[in-house]
Amino acid sequence: MDQVDLILHHYPRSPFAEKVRVALGLKGLRWRSVEQPRIAPKPLLTALTGGYRRIPVLQIGADIFCDTRRILAELDRRYPEPPLYPSGTDGLADIIAAWADRELFATALGLVFGLHGDRFPTALHADRARLTAGRFDGWDSAKMAAMIPTLRERLRRDLSRLEHALTDGRRFLLGVQPSVADLAAYHPLWYARGNLGEDDAGLVDHPRLIGWMTRLEAIGHGTMQELAPDKALAIAHASTPLAVPPTEADDPHASEIGARVTVTPDDWGFDPVAGELAAISGSAIALKRHDPAVGEVVVHFPRDGFGIELAN
């Protein structure tokens, strides 16, 4: 398949964006980089998404892909080599990724803010408190600092498990090739190391894990070119969404195709996106929506981690 114009909306220190950037590097792809703000409001992002504000977001013309699970699935569909699910890793890779994206990430993030919360601006604390709906003690630095011993012990156990997975000499968590499992486990540790260093993050006691991170870091990010946010909106406006995949007839929401619905994350960032249900399957949701700044777009979500309801 010919390479299309991939536009990644992200910011450099975003751990979940790093997950996608390494996937782009693994597949040797060219892409355009649109840097978005770390905190809301993000008007030049939400014009595309309809309100979804989490990073990263992948834009391909007038098709907008939200959440790393949906982004990676689309990259793997369009560019299957090398695969993000090498032979024999289906299912298991997703189980590890689900744990890493939620549990490992939350532990690493909590430890960073517990140890160095006073380094971050007040506006960032307030924004993350809204985004996470009160998790991490509302991002109160003093309260989060009290959790440091618990978070250190939790991260120590997680690092030991990952280190143990590499004791047989394998290069990556599930074998000789990197998979979705590696990308998901890597980005929280990349974030912890970048903010705390190998010693304070506990990595110094896990040499195999450091070697594994070095191999993933060496993959790089592919070939990046900067793009202004308003140019990305103009690209969407000049494009036509691709045909959506067929809806599974036995899906409980199949009868709602064409109806106005809302799609909302179920973990954090509870910003609903409203639109016309264009397609739904066991793994994906597609909403058609219109915005004066971008015209008609289709916004794509994974099924896991998102709820769908008829709009009022």
Side-chain angles (χ1 to χ4, degrees), residues 112-222:
V112 167
F113 273 80
L115 286 168
H116 297 299
D118 56 352
R119 295 189 328 188
F120 296 93
T122 302
L124 181 64
H125 279 270
D127 180 77
R128 295 306 189 257
R130 290 190 300 270
L131 181 68
T132 58
R135 292 186 68 183
F136 305 111
D137 289 310
W139 295 86
D140 180 287
S141 296
K143 291 180 180 179
M144 293 173 74
M147 289 291 294
I148 289 173
T150 299
L151 291 167
R152 279 198 186 281
E153 175 58 22
R154 192 178 297 161
L155 185 58
R156 185 195 66 78
R157 293 196 303 268
D158 290 341
L159 295 179
S160 295
R161 293 185 184 105
L162 290 169
E163 175 91 353
H164 186 71
L166 300 167
T167 54
D168 62 358
R170 67 182 66 190
R171 292 180 55 78
F172 298 101
L173 292 178
L174 297 179
V176 297
Q177 295 176 268
S179 72
V180 164
D182 296 279
L183 301 179
Y186 172 72
H187 76 83
L189 304 188
W190 170 87
Y191 179 76
R193 183 179 64 182
N195 284 279
L196 304 176
E198 288 184 356
D199 194 1
D200 222 8
L203 286 163
V204 71
D205 298 323
H206 301 281
R208 293 186 183 89
L209 208 50
I210 291 175
W212 166 80
M213 291 184 71
T214 300
R215 288 190 287 276
L216 286 164
E217 186 177 27
I219 291 170
H221 295 157

Side-chain angles (χ1 to χ4, degrees), residues 48 59 61-62 64 231-240 293-297:
L48 290 165
Q59 176 188 350
I64 315 300
K231 299 293 186 184
L233 268 60
I235 289 171
H237 203 289
S239 303
T240 301
V294 297
E296 184 176 285
V297 296

Side-chain angles (χ1 to χ4, degrees), residues 238-293:
S239 303
T240 301
L242 299 177
V244 296
T247 290
E248 296 176 356
D250 59 350
D251 190 280
H253 293 281
S255 63
E256 296 165 9
I257 294 296
R260 188 166 177 79
V261 301
T262 59
V263 174
T264 309
D266 65 11
D267 49 5
W268 51 38
F270 304 106
D271 300 302
V273 176
E276 176 187 316
L277 184 61
I280 192 163
S281 69
S283 61
I285 304 167
L287 289 189
K288 185 184 297 183
R289 53 176 306 277
H290 186 277
D291 185 284

